[in-house]
Amino acid sequence: MRLLRVALPLPLEPMSYLPPHGVQEGEGLGHRVVVPWRGELRVGLVVGYEEGLQKSFTLREAVAYLDDFPWLRREELAFLQAAAQDSFCPLGTLLADLLPFLEPPLQHRVRLVPGADPAVLPRGLEALAEGWQDAQGLDPRLLDHLREGGVLQEEVAEKRPPRRVLVALQEPPEGLSERAKAAWYTLRDLGQAESMAALARAAGVGVGVVKGLLDRGYIGFSEAEPAPEALAAQTLEPLQLPTIPVRLEGGRLLERIRALTTLLGQGPALVLFPEVSLLRRFQPFLPGAIAFHGEMRAEERRKVWAGVRKAGMKGTSVLATYQGLLLPVEVRRIVVVEEGAEAYKLPGGSRAFVPRLARLRAQGLGVPIHYLSGVNSAEVWTEPAHHLPPPVPRLHLLDMRRERGWPFSGAAIAVLQQVQEKRRQAIVLSARRGYSAVLRCKECDWKAMCPHCALPLRYHKGERLGWLQCHQCGHEEKAPLLCPNCRSDVFDPRGPGVDWLLEALARYLPTLPRYRYTAGAKDSLDPLLAGEPGVLVGTTAILRAPVLPELALVLLPYADGFVLESDFRAAERYHRLLWQLADLHPRRRPLLVLQTFEPTHPAHKALQTADPKGFMEKELALRRALGYPPASRMVKLEVAHPKEPVARDAILQLAAALKPQSEPGEMLGPAPAPVARLRGQYVFHLLLKSSEARVRALMENLPPVHGARLRVDPDPQSFVGLLED
């Protein structure tokens, strides 16, 4: 008998199951299948077969296939296997990363097998002898007991719950409050809202106001089909290219979009983006392409997937984030947009780096891969390239060793005043949220530290004293009145955050409208998007915000805060950030002002000469001299435990086991991580760097780690491991 090899979206390798009862042998490769797993039903994928052995009677039987067509072809299954091996993780881990929408809610019915003795039914399940019963609410352990005994008959199907949206039902009376009226008219103008919270945000009112309208019957929930996202199509003339190179670099955003339309004119392509915000900037110019990303509802993604698999979608390009890597489409090339972006690094699970997976995918399909970026990454720099003329930045460096004033120097205030006088718009970019990075005592140098992380608590200034918060573990406490160490009341905040910058702007330019934009707090940008003057203060979340139409200035009050990291990639990331800021507006050239203590930094010189090549050549020469990627492949082994001695002993044992197999220079460490304690865990790192074959050989002989958590991070893009600050 041929057994099924089923991969579940769990950190496990594929497991063996008997085929579903009554299904012909040999069917099912690539299908979604429902299988029993630890007392419940899970949805997995059939990734292969194996010949049944004498012990096959001990195996569980799969319940049923969910679809009458395979979700994945042999090409996708082969890629999934190769990608899991390349990422040094179980296949199920990568499956969970790439297909997080694999498992739908199930309609599950059960009954006693006809002809079976009802006496076998345990108390509470007697109704199964009468016919089909909904399994919801029944004890899963008892059902599993009957399943193992072979007396349970089951039916499963994908449940497609109706989508419920808020709609306006009847016009409110005159006596209704202004806020309630505003919410009702907002809903009428929108047509529908996903939830009460979504309507409250759109109307600028509290959820309680919306709930009041719902309770009185002025609005209500209604079933609706998911409406496709409506985007106004725009046209651009394709860019004439002398050849079709591996990488396309430089140019303004619209020029890169024109270059992409030229690539798509050669045939359908899978185009990968690091973030949905960037995908949406390309989408209006490629109206015939399918969009596929994580901001779509899970049922929408499953619907698109089924449509693609059934129709084949030949001749259609796909714009996708990493979740589109496994889409079973016929393409002639794969294009990776901004391949150096940190967002391509999967934060958990496999920790795979998407551009590397894209290269494996292209190899499996036998199609070329291309990289389209403002500044290409060091990993692809040696590939044949076509250079689009780079934008010529307007750069002004303020040497903080000579300037006066903090967090804004006098020169920075002067350019901001020009923005106000000319009724234009500005962006002020900070590396962190809150008021300041550190709260320290001037007298004894005491610093407020997080009790769970080896990091200072961020100071958030409140009405009187404010509070201290760790942006990694969430710990909060009140800011002290006096220094806990010397009882001094003289505190010295350091490292300007968004709140500090907003406060300083209110002091120096009180009539200039100010707006906040961070990952956790976003003001409405409607006045700015309408062209009104103002300044937008925020973190790098601003890069994902809508483009300000009258943008004239981008100011970094503490530019060095973006580059001072314990990471060999920090300079390259900073270099890429500066070029992103120089191209923040598709048609204008806003003035880029950097307050810095290192005006001669190579990244600054690259902008001054409008030539990214000089920086990248120096960076590559340094990487080669040190044997760092791309001159080698690197894998980070991270060991963590709440007790420092346990974590230290585990990493030392791991290093001792690997050292006899390694050659000089192939193993770095072990050593404490740049942030030695994070979220209550003591963290140690051990780096392996060598050729592809040598790293793979070392990883194949990786011994188990006992007593501590081991995480494998292939192709690490960051070594600090912090959330957005």
Side-chain angles (χ1 to χ4, degrees):
M1 174 182 289
R2 296 185 76 189
L3 306 179
L4 305 181
R5 296 288 290 164
V6 178
L8 295 176
L10 297 169
L12 299 168
E13 294 295 347
M15 294 170 290
S16 301
Y17 281 89
L18 294 167
H21 182 72
V23 175
Q24 185 177 352
E25 279 190 37
E27 296 180 358
L29 188 65
H31 281 68
R32 288 191 300 172
V33 64
V34 181
V35 297
W37 168 253
R38 293 193 172 181
E40 60 178 349
L41 295 185
R42 298 294 302 262
V43 178
L45 276 173
V46 179
V47 296
Y49 300 110
E50 67 178 1
E51 291 301 322
L53 303 176
Q54 294 297 323
K55 296 182 180 180
S56 60
F57 66 87
T58 63
L59 295 177
R60 309 297 297 275
E61 188 178 79
V63 176
Y65 294 123
L66 266 187
D67 313 288
D68 57 2
F69 61 91
W71 257 46
L72 299 182
R73 305 171 299 178
R74 291 183 182 273
E75 297 96 315
E76 285 77 50
L77 294 174
F79 161 70
L80 190 62
Q81 182 67 45
Q85 292 175 355
D86 188 73
S87 302
F88 310 108
C89 69
L91 190 145
T93 301
L94 191 63
L95 180 66
D97 282 343
L98 298 184
L99 295 182
F101 52 90
L102 177 71
E103 296 188 273
L106 297 175
Q107 291 177 334
H108 183 203
R109 297 197 309 161
V110 292
R111 71 175 180 180
L112 186 67
V113 170
D117 185 356
V120 302
L121 293 174
R123 183 178 300 176
L125 297 184
E126 294 87 351
L128 298 185
E130 302 171 6
W132 290 108
Q133 305 292 326
D134 190 341
Q136 187 174 3
L138 302 181
D139 190 331
R141 293 172 297 179
L142 297 180
L143 291 178
D144 198 48
H145 177 73
L146 296 175
R147 189 180 293 125
E148 282 197 77
V151 294
L152 186 69
Q153 189 173 355
E154 302 179 81
E155 283 186 353
V156 290
E158 181 175 344
K159 183 189 294 184
R160 294 181 173 87
R163 178 170 173 256
R164 302 179 72 229
V165 295
L166 273 176
V167 295
L169 298 179
Q170 55 177 313
E171 192 160 348
E174 289 296 326
L176 206 63
S177 71
E178 292 300 319
R179 295 173 70 82
K181 285 182 180 179
W184 190 90
Y185 284 113
T186 298
L187 182 59
R188 184 197 65 180
D189 295 340
L190 290 173
Q192 62 184 39
E194 291 289 335
S195 63
M196 290 192 290
L199 176 58
R201 284 194 302 270
V205 301
V207 177
V209 175
V210 176
K211 189 176 185 304
L213 289 172
L214 183 67
D215 293 341
R216 297 181 190 181
Y218 300 125
I219 65 175
F221 282 101
S222 174
E223 294 183 8
E225 285 293 322
E229 190 174 13
L231 292 172
Q234 302 182 46
T235 57
L236 279 176
E237 188 71 22
L239 188 68
Q240 296 300 318
L241 298 173
T243 60
I244 304 296
V246 174
R247 64 184 180 98
L248 287 138
E249 181 192 50
R252 306 298 299 269
L253 177 65
L254 293 179
E255 290 176 290
R256 296 197 292 277
I257 295 176
R258 290 177 61 199
L260 180 59
T261 59
T262 301
L263 289 179
L264 300 192
Q266 305 291 316
L270 171 61
V271 187
L272 295 174
F273 295 86
E275 295 177 306
V276 179
S277 58
L278 184 59
L279 184 154
R280 286 187 169 138
R281 295 184 72 176
F282 279 69
Q283 194 174 355
F285 302 97
L286 305 164
I290 299 172
F292 191 84
H293 52 78
E295 289 188 9
M296 298 167 62
R297 296 163 62 92
E299 53 264 36
E300 289 180 73
R301 280 174 279 167
R302 287 191 288 268
K303 185 176 180 180
V304 170
W305 197 283
V308 166
R309 189 65 190 98
K310 286 181 176 179
M313 305 305 286
K314 293 183 179 180
T316 305
S317 293
V318 178
L319 312 180
T321 53
Y322 70 93
Q323 293 185 23
L325 270 172
L326 278 172
L327 265 173
V329 290
E330 298 286 347
V331 296
R332 295 186 59 181
R333 64 191 72 247
I334 292 178
V335 183
V336 184
V337 178
E338 298 296 339
E339 78 287 340
E342 280 187 275
Y344 276 128
K345 183 69 173 177
L346 302 187
S350 65
R351 295 194 172 189
F353 189 49
V354 174
R356 186 175 178 90
L357 297 186
R359 188 164 69 246
L360 285 173
R361 183 77 164 113
Q363 291 170 356
L365 293 174
V367 299
I369 187 167
H370 305 273
Y371 304 96
L372 178 67
S373 304
V375 178
N376 284 128
S377 67
E379 273 69 14
V380 304
W381 190 261
T382 57
E383 299 286 356
H386 176 76
H387 298 280
L388 302 172
V392 181
R394 296 170 58 220
L395 179 66
H396 185 41
L397 296 173
L398 297 177
D399 189 345
M400 296 306 288
R401 297 170 299 181
R402 300 174 182 174
E403 298 288 340
R404 294 290 179 268
W406 188 255
F408 296 108
S409 64
I413 294 297
V415 293
L416 284 165
Q417 286 174 337
Q418 292 180 32
V419 170
Q420 182 177 18
E421 291 166 2
K422 295 180 180 180
R423 297 186 59 78
R424 303 289 282 280
Q425 297 168 341
I427 284 176
V428 176
L429 199 65
S430 171
R432 58 185 55 87
R433 297 174 283 133
Y435 189 83
S436 70
V438 180
L439 184 67
R440 61 181 286 271
C441 174
K442 279 189 175 182
E443 296 294 330
C444 69
D445 211 31
W446 167 88
K447 287 190 294 189
M449 299 295 294
C450 175
H452 310 297
C453 308
L455 290 167
L457 291 170
R458 305 309 191 196
Y459 176 45
H460 291 255
K461 194 172 183 179
E463 295 181 0
R464 183 165 177 260
L465 295 176
W467 71 97
L468 301 167
Q469 184 184 56
C470 177
H471 290 174
Q472 307 308 312
C473 70
H475 171 81
E476 284 189 9
E477 59 185 65
K478 290 183 179 179
L481 275 170
L482 302 173
C483 171
N485 188 48
C486 70
R487 312 307 293 171
S488 167
D489 62 352
V490 183
F491 288 112
D492 181 26
R494 291 292 182 93
V498 170
D499 294 347
W500 191 347
L501 298 177
L502 285 166
E503 180 184 89
L505 286 170
R507 185 167 65 253
Y508 291 118
L509 301 165
T511 60
L512 181 64
R514 299 168 299 280
Y515 303 86
R516 179 196 311 268
Y517 203 92
T518 67
K522 296 179 175 68
D523 291 340
S524 172
L525 303 185
D526 290 345
L528 291 176
L529 297 178
E532 295 182 16
V535 57
L536 181 61
V537 183
T539 60
T540 51
I542 286 176
L543 298 174
R544 300 182 287 276
V547 176
L548 303 186
E550 297 296 323
L551 182 63
L553 170 69
V554 178
L555 170 63
L556 275 64
Y558 183 41
D560 304 331
F562 290 95
V563 73
L564 297 177
E565 296 182 19
S566 303
D567 191 338
F568 72 89
R569 297 185 191 273
E572 184 187 358
R573 279 198 297 269
Y574 179 57
H575 176 248
R576 190 178 301 113
L577 171 66
L578 294 182
W579 282 99
Q580 283 180 281
L581 296 175
D583 192 31
L584 204 53
H585 195 286
R587 294 180 178 84
R588 292 180 178 273
R589 286 197 307 143
L591 178 65
L592 181 57
V593 178
L594 309 178
Q595 291 190 166
T596 175
F597 292 92
E598 292 189 66
T600 60
H601 192 283
H604 299 157
K605 291 185 176 180
L607 258 72
Q608 287 174 320
T609 59
D611 181 14
K613 294 181 184 177
F615 172 86
M616 292 304 299
E617 287 170 357
K618 290 181 180 178
E619 185 72 11
L620 276 173
L622 182 60
R623 301 267 189 97
R624 292 189 188 106
L626 296 173
Y628 278 19
S632 65
R633 188 173 187 199
M634 180 177 284
V635 174
K636 179 177 72 177
L637 305 177
E638 181 181 284
V639 170
H641 193 272
K643 295 180 180 179
E644 184 177 12
V646 175
R648 186 191 304 110
D649 289 347
I651 197 73
L652 289 174
Q653 290 176 22
L654 187 61
L658 287 171
K659 190 172 182 179
Q661 309 168 39
S662 64
E663 298 175 0
E666 288 186 337
M667 196 170 74
L668 300 180
V675 179
R677 190 175 183 229
L678 195 60
R679 296 185 274 282
Q681 299 277 324
Y682 289 92
V683 185
F684 288 83
H685 285 171
L686 179 64
L687 303 180
L688 305 179
K689 67 175 182 70
S690 189
S691 66
E692 180 75 35
R694 286 291 305 150
V695 168
R696 190 169 297 280
L698 290 171
M699 290 299 296
E700 285 176 356
N701 297 312
L702 194 67
V705 172
H706 300 289
R709 183 200 67 196
L710 171 65
R711 284 185 176 174
V712 177
D713 186 359
D715 312 297
Q717 301 298 303
S718 175
F719 293 84
V720 181
L722 300 182
L723 305 173
E724 183 178 355
D725 204 18

